[in-house]
């Protein structure tokens, strides 16, 4: 877990506006001050201060950037490939499709597992959100949203509600009921309100808060019960396409990736942007934390997936191949973090060995681009959602160690 | 106004002109319609703008002195708002929104604050944009035109371009390199032609041109001061050597290797493979004896132990059972665990419950002489109690972290004991037995009016099918 999250958040009157709120400790002209996140933004968007000029700021910016690069370089005393030499090679994986979930009439855009390890929620382009028991293939609940392109859906930790959002610029929470005849739309609760489409949403450790990312370039934390905005996160200069919460015991950070090619790590308490990585050459479509919380991976339109070490503050691996040209739209780790599953726009899923950087397996079977891959909470299966209107889940097959599984039934 | 089209096939979002109630239909042929579908709306806007400039019934303009030169036909924001209100007879919010659209689409441009394209309802100064620069004109704002404009400004005065303009300029220099000579030539010609004009005209034209490009090529990127703050923070933040962090990552992989169903078989079987859910039923919260793998996982870290609700239960049971024979320094972990759980509830609870929860926690754990007083260091205690004057969800963060660290110290001892206690290395229990047990449990729970376990009920319904 990140060392910096051990620091207690200061809470008190802002040095600028005087209101009591979580404070960001920043340096203005080498002086340490405590500002609330709103004042930091206001101050930063103001014009040049006395004694500054565009040229001097630019010079300062360049020298600071260079210094940061130097600091990072000092700590890179070893590469991941060297460390991975001591790890044994993986046996060839045999992964087979176990089930195909058919039931969506249109492109499936997003899915999320329930903590009970067998249920999942999926959303599609025609506005339908379906809750399935993936084990028995039953559809348990269905809701039709008035908007099309439901880009984000999430299952609540308790298993009692789902959240979804998309082109309607909102994220709504639907409590699930055991009564099959009840229309879930009646209990719908609009929680998040953005000024552009909602690209990703997730619950925090409880059903009471959701975190959303949006095409308006911001992420936001909302209180479900009241719909109140608890914290907003500004820093991306283009649409934010994905976010993921850190799995660490402190659970105070999350990472977001967007069309500005940056992956930012945020402190949920103060709204501060802690770390930023600009390594991709094109839009970042998906970000996901490593199971230990000390690293994360990103998938991008430049056909690569990258792996970032948060404690050393740098990118440590790039997963790419000349034969992979189409953008990667989604990534997820297996339970131990050894495997990285990535879904691509050329209808395939590739499984990468995270430590050695090689591709372990290529999975075919979908008939259109893969929009989302997610490993189940206990790591037993991988579910992939695709624009071919289906969801497939794949599990470890009976191992035939001489061949690598290339297709499935 | 910049519409970021994603890779998905999103339709162009319709221009927000639906609030315009004008129904003037012009007979002008719209040859540009097929590649600029918003032309229809903009034509409506145009008619209004023409009306606004009517010398008798339009918005009153005046001469304004701005930076040594006088600029004619300057209007104020509040006059525009007043005119629109009078014309459309609608709510102030709609008038404000409509006015801002006029500025956002470039029909009116601000003289001060030229980068902020909104209409302010005060004495801020604006001007009507010349029809030459209206968005409905038949020519699109080409990259080469923009390159010429930037080059011209560079010729006039080096270093005048802003950061985002510099970025555009370098990009265009690479992109249009093959006709760069032509661009520079055009820029020089325009610059010379500009010098021929008299000063006031030149100033006006410069303003118009600048406004046009702000609309067609909006500024992007964070202000430099913001970026500098970020860099300073990033430099000062503590970092770790790669050998240490990468070593930790690989250690994690090695530790969890046998627990990853993709790398090692999961016992008794992978449900997705055999269609048998024994793996789940023998790992529920209330199972008699937890499996060997599960207990082993608890030994990996305190986080694992506490995240698994059964682990947390067993931890509590262990602490309570061994109470009489337990040394005092272990006894206090009962309160520590309770405090940790209460702090989690506060952190993730609803906004409205914050104050009441904070109060209860203070009375139970932190107040002097509290029934479950937690023994944390004086400084942390002081900060926490002070913070409770204005309870917010992170007020217990420092105390919670401290308590967690204290519990971590006994984690190894506890997980060893738990492994010893799990004598029966059971790999699974028959689902029927599990179901019967859960039925009994549910009956008891119902009798005690406890909240229903939704998941158990739903899986029960499934089994009945």
């Amino acid at each position: 877990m990140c060392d910096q999250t051990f620091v207690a958040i200061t809470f008190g009157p802002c040095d600028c506006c005087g209101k009591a709120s979580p404070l960001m400790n920043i340096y203005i002209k080498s002086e340490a001050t405590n500002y609330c996140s709103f004042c930091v933004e206001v101050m930063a968007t103001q014009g040049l201060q006395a004694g500054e000029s565009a040229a001097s700021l630019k010079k300062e910016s360049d020298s600071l950037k260079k210094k940061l690069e130097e600091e990072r370089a000092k700590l890179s005393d070893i590469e991941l490939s060297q460390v991975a030499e001591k790890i044994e090679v993986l046996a060839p994986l045999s992964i087979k499709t176990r089930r195909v979930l058919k039931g969506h009439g249109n492109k499936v855009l997003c899915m999320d597992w329930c903590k009970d390890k067998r249920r999942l929620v999926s959303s599609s382009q025609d506005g339908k959100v379906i809750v399935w028991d993936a084990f028995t293939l039953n559809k348990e609940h269905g809701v039709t949203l008035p908007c099309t392109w439901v880009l984000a859906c999430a299952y609540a930790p308790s298993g009692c509600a789902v959240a979804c959002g998309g082109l309607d610029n909102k994220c709504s929470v639907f409590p699930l009921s055991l009564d099959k005849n009840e229309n879930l739309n009646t209990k719908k609760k609009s929680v998040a309100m953005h000024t552009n489409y909602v690209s990703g949403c997730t619950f925090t450790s409880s059903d009471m808060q959701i975190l959303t990312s949006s095409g308006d370039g911001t992420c936001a934390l909302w209180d479900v019960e009241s719909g109140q905005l608890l914290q907003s996160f500004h820093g991306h200069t283009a649409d934010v396409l994905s976010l993921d919460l850190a799995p660490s015991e402190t659970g105070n950070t999350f990472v977001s990736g967007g069309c500005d090619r940056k992956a930012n790590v945020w402190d949920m308490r103060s709204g501060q942007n802690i770390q930023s990585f600009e390594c991709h050459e094109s839009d970042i479509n998906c970000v996901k934390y490593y199971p230990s919380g000390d690293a994360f991976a990103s998938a991008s339109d430049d056909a690569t997936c990258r792996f970032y070490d948060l404690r050393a503050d740098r990118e440590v691996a790039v997963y790419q191949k000349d034969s992979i040209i189409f953008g990667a739209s989604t990534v997820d780790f297996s339970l131990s973090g050894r495997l990285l599953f990535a879904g691509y726009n050329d209808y395939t899923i590739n499984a990468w060995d995270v430590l050695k950087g090689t591709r372990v397996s290529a999975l075919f079977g979908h008939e259109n681009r893969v929009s989302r891959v997610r490993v189940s909470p206990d790591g037993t299966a991988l579910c992939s959602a695709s624009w071919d209107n289906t969801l497939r889940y794949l599990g470890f097959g009976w191992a035939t160690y001489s061949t690598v599984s290339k297709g499935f039934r | 106004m910049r519409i970021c089209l994603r890779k998905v096939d999103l339709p162009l979002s319709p221009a927000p002109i639906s609030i315009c109630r004008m129904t003037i239909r012009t007979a002008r042929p719209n040859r540009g319609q097929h590649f600029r579908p918003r032309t229809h709306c903009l034509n409506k806007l145009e008619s209004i703008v023409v009306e606004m400039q009517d010398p008798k019934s339009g918005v009153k303009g005046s001469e304004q002195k701005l930076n040594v030169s006088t600029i004619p036909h300057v209007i104020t924001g509040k006059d525009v708002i007043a005119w629109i209100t009078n014309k459309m007879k609608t709510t102030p919010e709609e008038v404000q929104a409509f006015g801002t659209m006029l500025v956002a689409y470039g029909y009116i441009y601000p003289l001060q604050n030229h980068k902020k394209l909104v209409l302010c309802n005060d004495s801020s100064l604006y001007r009507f944009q010349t029809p030459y620069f209206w968005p409905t004109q038949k020519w699109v704002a080409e990259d080469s035109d923009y390159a010429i404009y930037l080059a011209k400004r560079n010729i006039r005065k080096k270093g005048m371009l802003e950061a985002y303009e510099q970025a555009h300029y370098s990009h265009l220099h690479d992109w249009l390199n093959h006709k760069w000579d032509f661009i520079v030539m055009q820029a020089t010609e325009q610059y010379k032609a500009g010098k021929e004009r008299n000063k006031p005209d030149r100033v006006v034209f410069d303003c118009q041109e600048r406004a046009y490009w702000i609309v067609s090529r909006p500024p992007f990127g964070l202000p430099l001061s913001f970026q500098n703050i970020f860099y300073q923070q990033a430099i000062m933040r503590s970092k770790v050597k790669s050998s240490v962090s990468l070593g930790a990552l690989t250690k994690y992989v090695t530790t969890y290797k046998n627990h990853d169903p993709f790398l090692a078989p999961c016992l008794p079987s992978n449900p997705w493979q055999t269609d048998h859910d024994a793996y789940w039923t023998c790992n529920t919260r209330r199972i008699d004896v937890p499996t060997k793998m599960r207990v082993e996982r608890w030994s990996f870290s305190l986080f694992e132990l506490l995240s698994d609700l059964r682990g947390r239960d067993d931890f509590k049971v262990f602490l309570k059972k061994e109470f009489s024979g337990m040394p005092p320094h272990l006894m206090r972990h009962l309160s520590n665990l309770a405090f940790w759980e209460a702090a989690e509830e506060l952190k993730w609870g609803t906004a409205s419950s914050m104050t009441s929860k904070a109060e209860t926690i203070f009375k139970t754990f932190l107040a002097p002489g509290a029934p479950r007083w937690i023994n944390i260091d004086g400084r942390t205690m002081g900060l926490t109690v002070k913070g409770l004057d204005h309870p917010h969800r992170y007020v217990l963060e420092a105390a919670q972290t401290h308590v967690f660290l204290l519990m971590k110290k006994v984690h190894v001892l506890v997980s060893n004991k738990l492994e010893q206690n799990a004598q029966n290395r059971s790999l699974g229990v028959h689902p029927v037995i599990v179901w019967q047990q859960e039925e009994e449990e549910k009956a008891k729970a119902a009798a005690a009016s406890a909240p229903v376990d939704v998941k158990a009920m739903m899986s029960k319904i499934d089994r009945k099918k």
Side-chain angles (χ1 to χ4, degrees):
Chain A
M1 116 225 43
C2 268
D3 305 307
Q4 50 264 29
T5 55
F6 267 142
V7 175
I9 189 81
T10 39
F11 185 93
C14 165
D15 282 343
C16 176
C17 66
K19 264 193 295 184
S21 53
L23 299 175
M24 286 163 63
N25 182 273
I26 56 174
Y27 287 81
I28 304 178
K29 296 198 209 309
S30 319
E31 259 185 56
T33 41
N34 288 321
Y35 273 21
C36 68
S37 56
F38 180 68
C39 288
V40 170
E41 263 187 70
V42 166
M43 177 201 72
T45 51
Q46 275 163 7
L48 302 167
Q49 308 294 316
E52 284 176 5
S53 71
S56 72
L57 273 184
K58 183 98 184 29
K59 215 163 75 172
E60 196 188 342
S61 177
D62 290 334
S63 75
L64 282 175
K65 195 166 172 191
K66 211 167 115 206
K67 188 152 179 234
L68 180 60
E69 295 300 313
E70 281 167 25
E71 294 281 312
R72 280 180 176 166
K74 271 191 231 163
L75 297 169
S76 48
D77 53 348
I78 197 171
E79 291 303 311
L80 182 61
S81 43
Q82 293 168 278
V83 176
E85 271 162 27
K86 307 182 198 128
I87 311 281
E88 82 252 6
V89 183
L90 278 178
L93 284 186
S94 166
I95 300 178
K96 291 192 159 64
T97 309
R98 292 292 150 196
R99 302 267 203 297
V100 180
L101 285 176
K102 291 193 196 179
H104 276 292
N106 218 317
K107 308 181 168 107
V108 186
L109 301 173
C110 184
M111 55 85 37
D112 189 29
W113 286 95
C114 175
K115 288 240 158 54
D116 77 346
K117 308 153 201 168
R118 51 188 286 171
R119 286 183 174 78
L120 51 90
V121 61
S122 59
S123 64
S124 69
Q125 187 200 347
D126 53 6
K128 287 216 170 39
V129 174
I130 303 179
V131 176
W132 315 73
D133 179 347
F135 193 59
T136 57
L137 294 182
N138 283 343
K139 280 193 226 182
E140 294 195 336
H141 305 271
V143 161
T144 308
L145 269 65
C147 77
T148 55
W149 290 91
V150 187
L151 297 166
C153 61
Y155 221 120
S158 69
C160 299
V162 292
C164 42
L167 276 196
D168 55 354
N169 298 1
K170 293 193 265 189
C171 187
S172 320
V173 174
F174 295 86
L176 297 175
S177 103
L178 290 174
D179 178 4
K180 293 290 164 99
N181 294 327
E182 192 178 350
N183 183 3
L184 292 180
N185 254 315
T186 52
K187 295 253 188 67
K188 167 174 161 176
K189 202 183 173 85
S190 267
V191 176
M193 215 76 88
H194 278 281
T195 53
N196 211 329
Y197 63 90
V198 171
S199 54
C201 74
T202 178
F203 282 88
T204 60
S205 300
S206 78
D207 287 9
M208 293 300 130
Q209 281 125 44
I210 52 170
L211 195 55
T212 55
S213 65
S214 164
D216 62 11
T218 66
C219 302
L221 180 67
W222 309 83
D223 180 63
V224 172
E225 190 194 43
S226 59
Q228 192 192 357
L229 172 66
L230 297 173
Q231 184 66 257
S232 68
F233 306 90
H234 296 258
H236 278 287
T237 49
D239 306 16
V240 185
L241 295 180
S242 164
L243 56 78
D244 187 36
L245 267 181
S248 68
E249 53 227 43
T250 41
N252 284 327
T253 58
F254 73 94
V255 61
S256 67
C259 290
D260 56 356
R261 297 178 272 135
K262 287 212 203 115
N264 290 341
V265 180
W266 309 86
D267 181 340
M268 273 205 302
R269 303 167 294 182
S270 61
Q272 193 170 13
N273 178 5
I274 310 174
Q275 287 169 285
S276 183
F277 301 91
E278 192 168 357
C279 306
H280 274 291
E281 289 158 25
S282 186
D283 305 358
I284 295 181
N285 290 321
C286 185
V287 287
K288 196 77 174 61
Y289 265 99
Y290 189 75
S292 73
D294 289 333
F296 73 95
S298 61
S300 161
D301 273 351
D302 64 3
T304 66
C305 297
R306 288 168 204 252
F307 189 49
Y308 307 83
D309 179 350
L310 286 170
R311 291 169 74 196
D313 198 24
R314 65 185 191 106
E315 171 202 272
V316 290
V318 182
Y319 306 107
Q320 63 188 342
K321 236 173 141 61
D322 288 340
S323 53
I324 300 175
I325 307 172
F326 287 88
S329 56
T330 171
V331 274
D332 199 3
F333 286 97
S334 70
L335 189 139
S336 64
R338 182 70 194 268
L339 293 172
L340 180 71
F341 296 102
Y344 292 78
N345 293 343
D346 62 358
Y347 315 173
T348 63
I349 299 173
N350 289 319
W352 299 89
D353 180 337
V354 170
L355 300 177
K356 296 209 187 272
T358 54
R359 182 172 66 176
V360 175
S361 188
L363 310 171
F364 305 91
H366 274 298
E367 289 152 23
N368 207 324
R369 59 164 86 168
V370 181
S371 52
R372 187 86 147 172
V373 291
R374 276 288 174 268
V375 173
S376 70
D378 59 356
T380 48
L382 171 75
C383 181
S384 61
S386 160
W387 281 20
D388 66 2
N389 307 359
T390 65
L391 293 116
R392 281 167 195 261
Y393 31 99
L394 307 90
F396 190 61
W398 292 109
T400 48
Y401 288 100
S402 51
T403 58
V404 173
S405 166
K406 271 247 173 84
F408 2 92
R409 291 176 285 105
Chain B
M1 188 172 88
R2 184 168 78 153
I3 293 163
C4 295
L5 283 177
R6 264 204 71 195
K7 282 119 333 274
V8 301
D9 312 326
L10 283 174
L12 272 176
S13 45
I17 305 292
S18 46
I19 50 172
C20 172
R21 299 219 186 101
M22 297 279 295
T23 52
I24 285 178
R25 290 181 211 298
T26 57
R28 263 184 283 163
N30 265 316
R31 275 175 235 117
Q33 187 73 44
H34 66 278
F35 67 86
R36 278 199 305 276
R38 277 172 265 123
T39 310
H40 183 65
C41 305
L42 294 179
N43 285 341
K44 290 188 202 169
L45 256 191
E46 258 176 56
S47 340
I48 299 187
V49 172
V50 167
E51 256 183 79
M52 284 171 95
Q53 295 184 66
D54 184 279
K56 276 189 238 115
S57 58
V59 185
K60 292 282 172 281
S62 59
E63 273 194 354
Q64 281 283 348
K65 221 164 158 33
L66 202 74
N67 293 343
V68 177
S69 24
T70 8
I71 303 191
H73 307 304
V74 175
I75 51 180
T76 60
K78 58 178 192 278
D79 284 345
V80 175
I81 296 269
W83 189 92
I84 302 173
T85 317
N86 188 33
K87 170 90 194 166
M88 297 197 168
K89 311 229 187 304
T90 175
T91 64
E93 287 89 11
E94 279 207 309
V95 169
Q96 176 69 53
F98 184 69
T100 298
M101 284 305 108
L102 285 173
V103 183
Y105 278 88
Y107 287 98
I108 295 179
Y109 62 92
L111 286 175
Q112 307 134 323
N113 253 343
H114 60 272
K115 278 193 269 188
K116 211 155 162 35
L117 298 179
V118 285
L119 189 71
C120 299
N121 189 4
D122 52 24
S123 52
S124 310
L125 304 174
Y126 296 85
R127 284 197 88 237
F128 287 106
Q129 180 65 284
T130 169
Y132 180 70
F133 282 135
W134 280 359
T136 43
Q137 289 311 315
K138 299 282 192 278
W139 53 280
V140 192
E142 291 262 16
D143 277 340
S144 40
D145 295 319
Y146 191 45
I148 294 171
Y149 165 68
L150 290 176
K152 183 170 60 173
R153 282 185 53 203
N154 223 15
I155 293 173
R156 183 181 307 159
K157 190 171 166 204
K158 284 233 181 301
M160 219 171 82
L161 295 181
E162 306 213 13
Y164 76 96
E165 287 172 330
Q166 288 273 16
H168 273 303
Y169 192 65
S170 339
H171 168 76
L172 287 170
H173 183 82
D174 292 332
W175 187 244
L176 296 173
N177 203 292
H178 54 282
K179 49 180 185 176
W180 201 251
D181 291 335
F182 167 75
I183 287 172
V184 172
M185 187 190 72
Q186 287 286 303
T188 328
E189 289 297 310
Q190 287 190 14
Y191 174 61
K192 284 192 197 140
K195 287 214 325 202
E196 305 280 311
R197 286 193 210 107
N198 60 35
K199 188 110 194 283
D201 285 345
R202 204 187 330 149
V203 170
V204 165
F205 180 73
D206 285 346
C207 285
Q208 289 170 339
E209 197 183 29
R210 180 181 66 178
Y212 174 72
W213 286 112
I214 298 261
V215 169
S216 317
R217 297 280 190 276
F220 64 88
L222 287 170
L224 277 173
S225 43
F226 204 65
Q227 276 186 345
N228 290 354
I229 294 173
F230 172 77
Y231 285 136
Q232 279 171 331
Q233 297 292 106
I235 289 169
M236 268 176 275
R237 201 183 48 242
S238 63
K239 294 184 255 297
V240 159
K241 276 214 177 117
S242 286
S243 46
V244 174
S245 53
L246 292 177
L249 291 177
T250 36
K251 182 160 174 247
Y252 188 92
V253 166
T254 326
T255 314
Y256 284 83
K257 191 174 58 165
N258 293 330
H259 294 255
D260 188 341
F262 279 97
L263 300 177
C266 70
L267 304 165
S269 68
N270 188 323
W272 306 100
Q273 213 169 291
T274 58
D275 284 342
H276 202 271
D277 62 355
Y279 182 66
W280 292 328
T281 49
C282 69
N283 278 314
T284 54
R285 183 175 180 178
R286 302 184 208 287
I287 195 76
D288 262 349
V289 185
T291 64
K292 177 183 169 196
M293 291 295 271
R294 193 176 183 182
V295 178
E296 182 184 283
R297 203 159 155 183
W298 295 343
S299 69
F300 293 160
S301 71
L302 180 61
F303 179 55
E304 286 286 347
L305 179 66
L306 294 182
S307 310
D308 185 350
L309 291 176
R310 177 51 184 269
R312 222 189 279 185
D313 291 343
D314 279 5
F315 187 24
K316 276 186 217 163
V317 164
F318 163 77
L319 289 171
K320 283 187 199 153
K321 234 199 300 186
E322 319 271 318
F323 191 97
S324 51
M326 203 157 52
H329 70 272
L330 283 182
M331 258 163 56
R332 77 165 73 101
H333 288 298
L334 270 173
S335 331
N336 285 347
L337 184 57
F339 174 76
W340 185 88
E341 281 186 313
E344 281 288 288
E345 257 186 70
L346 179 74
K347 204 155 64 159
W348 306 117
T350 66
S352 50
S353 65
M354 214 98 320
T355 333
S356 55
K357 279 196 184 141
E359 255 185 67
T360 325
I361 292 175
F362 177 72
K363 283 196 209 128
T364 322
F365 297 98
L366 300 169
R372 311 193 73 173
W373 190 75
I374 52 163
N375 191 359
I376 53 177
D377 72 282
R379 187 168 165 270
T380 313
M381 180 66 91
L383 278 172
T384 312
V385 170
K386 186 158 169 260
L388 281 169
D389 281 341
H390 306 276
H392 61 100
R393 56 186 69 242
Y394 305 113
V395 70
L396 299 175
E397 194 90 331
Q400 190 183 2
T401 312
H402 192 119
V403 157
F404 192 82
L405 287 174
L406 290 173
M407 290 197 290
K408 250 191 179 176
K409 292 189 185 153
V410 295
H411 169 242
V412 173
L413 173 73
V414 168
S415 44
N416 283 342
K417 279 279 186 182
L418 287 176
E419 266 190 287
Q420 276 174 35
N421 290 349
Q423 312 127 345
N424 205 352
R425 305 305 202 211
S426 136
L427 290 179
V429 181
H430 198 277
V432 173
I433 299 179
V434 171
W435 182 75
Q436 283 172 347
Q437 285 176 340
E438 289 200 15
E439 287 287 271
E440 280 177 39
E441 191 107 3
K442 245 183 276 108
K444 282 189 218 154
S449 329
V452 177
D453 186 346
V454 179
K455 270 171 260 170
M457 272 209 41
M458 290 181 82
S459 53
K460 171 194 164 188
I461 290 172
D462 284 343
R463 249 176 256 123
K464 270 196 168 164
K465 280 186 192 155

